[in-house]
Structure formats: C-alpha cells, structure tokens
Amino acid sequence: MKNLLAELQWRGMIHDIMPGTEEQLSKEMTTGYIGFDPTADSLHIGSLVPILLLVHFQKAGHKPIALVGGATGMVGDPSGKSEERNLLDEATLNKNVAGVKAQLEKFLDFNPALPNAAEMANNYDWFKPISFIDFLRDVGKHITVNYMMAKDSVKKRIEGETGISYTEFAYQLMQGYDFYWLYKNKNCKLQMGGSDQWGNMTTGTELIRRKSGGEAFVFTNPLITKADGGKFGKTESGNVWLDAAKTSPYQFYQFWLNASDSDAEKWIKIFTFLDKETIDALITEHKQDAAKRVLQKKLAEEVTAFVHGKEGLQEALTATEKAFAEKQRPAEELSLEDIEAMKGVTQIDFGKDKISAGIDIVSFIAETGIEKSKGDARKMVQGGGISVNRRKVETIDFKIDNTLLLHNQYLLVQKGKKNQYIIKAV
C-alpha cells in the first residue's frame, strides 16, 4: 500500500488530521467513508474533492464507502450556513439520492471480487426504523449539550442573528450516529470530509468511544477557494454540475480553462492524478510562457476526461475550437443558426421596445444585469471593457437601437476578455 497521507499532503488535500490516523492506515486495510448531501439530483464540482479522496483511498488499497445522506438531507447541516435551509420532501430526496448514487458509481470500483470494493450507503436505511425515544435514549444521552455547543458551526449560529433550530442542532448527533452505525456494522474506522465538517466528524469518534469503547479516526481536506475571492464552482450562470445535461462538457472544460495562473497551479495537484514530477514540469513550462496557458489546458483536459470520459473531452475540445473560430468572424456574417448554437454563452432577454426607442450603453449594460449598477457599467465602458457585436464601444454616448440587431433579434455583448452574452430582443 502506498502512503496515502503523504500523497494527499503534497497535493494540498489535508487540513486537519486526528492523531493515530496514519498508524491506523499503515496497520491494515481500513474502511473509510465520506458523506454526500443530496440537496440536488446531481453533484457539482464542489463534490469533486471528496470524490477524489475516495478514489485515492481505494487506489491506496483501502475500502471506501460513499454515504448519501437520505436522512440527514431531510434535516439540514448548519456547518458553513448562516441561516436555516429549506427541508426537502421525501419524493425529491429519493430522486436526488438516486442521481447522486448513479454519479458516484462512475468514479469508484464496486467490483465485489475486490477485497476493497467500494460500497454505497444511505443513512435513511438505518434512521427510518429508529423512534425518537430510541434515539434520545441510545444516542442523545452519550453526548452532552456542552460538547455540542462548543462546536464552531453551532456557536456561530447561536451567536448570529438567525439562531439555530433544534432540528439543525441535532444534525451533528445524526452524523455522529452514522459513523457509529458504520463502525459497528461495516467495521468503518475512518471518516473524511471538508474542514467545515471537523466538529460533526469528531462527534462521531466521541460517540464510538463513549458508546462502544472503540477507536475511530478523522481527517479533513481544505475547502477550495479562488484566488480572486470568488466562490469555487460558481460561474455567472450558476453551479458547475457533474451532470452533462446541466453543465455541458464544453462549459465544464471552459470553467477549468479559465482558471487564474495561481488557481491552476494549486488545482492541478488536487483535481488530477498526474504525478509530482509531471506537475512540477508543467508548472516550470507554464512559468516560462504563461500566455500559452499550458497548466490550464492540461487541468481542463484531465478533469473533463475524469468526469465526462474521453468522448466528453473530445466534444469539449471540438466545441472550443468551433467557438474560437466563430469569435474571429464579424458578427454580421453569423447566421441565425450560428448565434443560437453558441455554447456556454449566457442568454439574456431584453425589451425590444427599449431597443427600438434607443437606449444608452450605460443604462443598457446595467438593465441587462451585465453590470450591477450604472456606475459599474460606466467604468467598464470607459475602460474599454465592453464590445457590442464584436466591436469595442468607445464612448458612453453609444446608443443601442434596432440598427444593431442581428437577424432583427440578437445582440452579442462581451464584457472583459471572457464574459460573453447573447441579448435577445423580446
């Protein structure tokens, strides 16, 4: 077995680790799990780190369990949240659990012939038969309120304006019981997850210790951030999903391709399986000529192939090539089909009557939502950051009117180097 923790350490995938974890992993094939929250019927790229952790875990000879929180999903986790979230009904939850399960099965090896075959679990299966009285007697009495209140996720909410409901307060007990159940029934001795889960995860080790005198371990990965302070996995058009029907392979590929240099250098270690030597060589090559975007291209290729397979990567590369070629053509040469087939471009509907009457560029950019305010729109235009129909707007006196509409219906607007929009006059 290769040293899993050393591998994860150089990749920047370890945040906190409980003493004794390394010894446990060196001693024997260990069963470990990560929980996935079924708040939608697809995971998004925020779930890629836990998925990759399980893949590394299995490759190192250990046994992974992917736990879908069918029961905990009905309750809501206060970690990292400033307010109570909406609870899902059972039908929606079942649909989401099925979707998440199908995705996880693409990445892990479930072949029962393997001694460390991956397993799926749904905590609804063991929570469903437990009565409230049973839970209070068998679980609640082992963990003090003082212990639960000391957790950061609870403390922040209690001290904040919205407070915390008993439902969400009980979440860490439920997650703790998951670990206890898997420990008792699957000999599971390790839980992994994001650093915001440390409090919930250690409650599980405490419950195992107090309820059965056993020993269990935990380690967390850092939460992924973007160098510009933006939220990882979010674009102007929303989440970047793992489901090709929600985020096309082309849009998925573009997300990674558009990473900043510092993000690409960090992310290529976390999100690919390339070895240290290969990554170091790529970083050196990238620093010699950053304009070639060697790191971003390799990162985008590797992650797209991992999530969407070779066919998905090919589709993304073909669409990228076509989109690049299309960008070079004057807007007036584009057919209606060319415009409507543009991939990964945000479409915004805008009142045709306002365009017919003529609207100044600053108001137009603010009212379409391309910029948040007229002040921001004015700065962007004055800085040369706005193009309409592939021509730079030189002055804030520029007017948008019917003469600019392509096929009497569309305008192509670009903000900065990367943000493109199709404005449809309706």
Side-chain angles (χ1 to χ4, degrees):
M1 286 190 195
K2 66 178 181 181
N3 189 329
L4 172 70
L5 296 178
E7 172 78 8
L8 296 176
Q9 201 83 54
W10 80 259
R11 290 185 181 276
M13 293 174 81
I14 300 255
H15 188 270
D16 286 311
I17 185 161
M18 193 175 264
T21 305
E22 194 158 4
E23 291 77 0
Q24 170 59 38
L25 292 170
S26 312
K27 187 171 69 178
E28 62 186 358
M29 181 182 86
T30 301
T31 300
Y33 89 98
I34 294 180
F36 293 87
D37 209 356
T39 43
D41 61 357
S42 167
L43 297 168
H44 50 74
I45 59 172
S47 304
L48 267 182
V49 175
I51 288 169
L52 288 161
L53 273 178
L54 288 179
V55 175
H56 280 294
F57 189 68
Q58 188 171 32
K59 281 186 170 182
H62 300 291
K63 183 177 175 68
I65 296 177
L67 170 71
V68 185
T72 36
M74 289 183 169
V75 170
D77 176 9
S79 305
K81 313 274 190 320
S82 58
E83 55 188 42
E84 192 93 4
R85 73 171 182 203
N86 295 331
L87 302 184
L88 301 173
D89 61 71
E90 200 170 332
T92 306
L93 205 62
N94 288 341
K95 178 175 174 277
N96 292 355
V97 167
V100 168
K101 191 175 173 186
Q103 283 181 335
L104 291 170
E105 285 171 346
K106 281 169 52 181
F107 303 113
L108 298 162
D109 194 340
F110 288 83
N111 179 359
L114 291 173
N116 66 331
E119 284 187 34
M120 291 289 310
N122 180 353
N123 62 10
Y124 189 66
D125 295 341
W126 54 83
F127 273 111
K128 193 179 182 180
I130 299 177
S131 75
F132 184 59
I133 292 170
D134 289 342
F135 190 73
L136 290 179
R137 281 171 58 97
D138 297 340
V139 182
K141 72 185 178 84
H142 292 283
I143 303 288
T144 66
V145 169
N146 313 49
Y147 179 86
M148 292 171 74
M149 298 263 288
K151 304 290 183 182
D152 280 346
S153 57
V154 173
K155 211 186 288 182
K156 281 178 189 158
R157 284 284 292 277
I158 287 175
E159 290 165 3
E161 284 176 29
T162 52
I164 184 170
S165 69
Y166 177 75
T167 305
E168 281 197 343
F169 181 60
Y171 184 92
Q172 65 167 293
L173 270 188
M174 291 181 76
Q175 190 170 327
Y177 185 75
D178 285 342
F179 199 174
Y180 169 78
W181 191 95
L182 290 168
Y183 174 84
K184 288 291 284 182
N185 294 277
K186 300 281 183 184
N187 193 30
C188 179
K189 293 182 181 173
L190 176 72
Q191 187 182 357
M192 300 161 278
S195 57
D196 60 336
Q197 292 294 314
W198 178 260
N200 291 339
M201 289 159 72
T202 49
T203 298
T205 62
E206 191 63 12
L207 190 60
I208 288 165
R209 186 182 70 78
R210 293 184 186 187
K211 202 163 154 52
S212 60
E215 191 177 23
F217 305 92
V218 157
F219 74 78
T220 62
N221 59 269
L223 298 178
I224 308 297
T225 54
K226 281 172 78 173
D228 64 5
K231 193 169 180 188
F232 173 75
K234 288 274 188 190
T235 64
E236 291 209 358
S237 52
N239 280 327
V240 180
W241 299 96
L242 303 189
D243 183 344
K246 290 176 186 282
T247 299
S248 71
Y250 166 77
Q251 291 167 314
F252 187 86
Y253 177 86
Q254 289 295 317
F255 172 81
W256 302 99
L257 193 64
N258 289 326
S260 68
D261 289 345
S262 59
D263 283 338
E265 192 172 321
K266 190 168 68 173
W267 293 352
I268 200 160
K269 296 172 186 170
I270 295 170
F271 292 103
T272 77
F273 294 97
L274 299 172
D275 59 34
K276 191 173 189 305
E277 204 179 324
T278 306
I279 288 174
D280 288 345
L282 281 165
I283 291 170
T284 304
E285 188 186 345
H286 181 82
K287 283 181 174 165
Q288 285 162 0
D289 186 359
K292 284 186 177 170
R293 299 179 73 75
V294 171
L295 266 185
Q296 284 89 340
K297 284 175 185 170
K298 191 65 177 165
L299 170 69
E301 281 174 22
E302 292 287 321
V303 188
T304 306
F306 175 68
V307 172
H308 294 295
K310 285 182 181 166
E311 301 79 9
L313 173 59
Q314 196 47 58
E315 183 191 318
L317 292 171
T318 306
T320 300
E321 214 173 290
K322 188 169 184 283
F324 182 77
E326 291 290 9
K327 275 183 204 169
Q328 312 311 305
R329 289 169 64 194
E332 289 73 18
E333 285 183 19
L334 297 172
S335 69
L336 189 59
E337 289 74 23
D338 288 336
I339 294 170
E340 289 177 345
M342 282 183 179
K343 293 194 174 193
V345 179
T346 304
Q347 184 169 308
I348 299 168
D349 291 346
F350 192 72
K352 197 165 192 174
D353 51 341
K354 288 190 177 181
I355 293 173
S356 300
I359 179 170
D360 67 276
I361 187 68
V362 171
S363 300
F364 176 75
I365 294 299
E367 288 181 32
T368 50
I370 291 170
E371 280 292 3
K372 288 185 184 129
S373 67
K374 284 191 178 182
D376 289 343
R378 185 176 289 106
K379 275 186 209 156
M380 186 56 75
V381 174
Q382 287 170 332
I386 295 290
S387 298
V388 174
N389 291 346
R390 297 183 176 168
R391 289 188 189 87
K392 190 180 280 189
V393 175
E394 305 287 356
T395 167
I396 57 170
D397 298 325
F398 185 85
K399 281 269 190 296
I400 299 286
D401 58 30
N402 283 342
T403 62
L404 293 171
L405 288 176
L406 305 171
H407 304 286
N408 200 34
Q409 199 175 10
Y410 293 108
L411 290 163
L412 302 182
V413 179
Q414 185 167 331
K415 178 179 85 171
K417 287 182 181 175
K418 294 173 190 164
N419 301 304
Q420 296 190 59
Y421 307 88
I422 296 172
I423 309 298
K424 185 178 183 182
V426 291

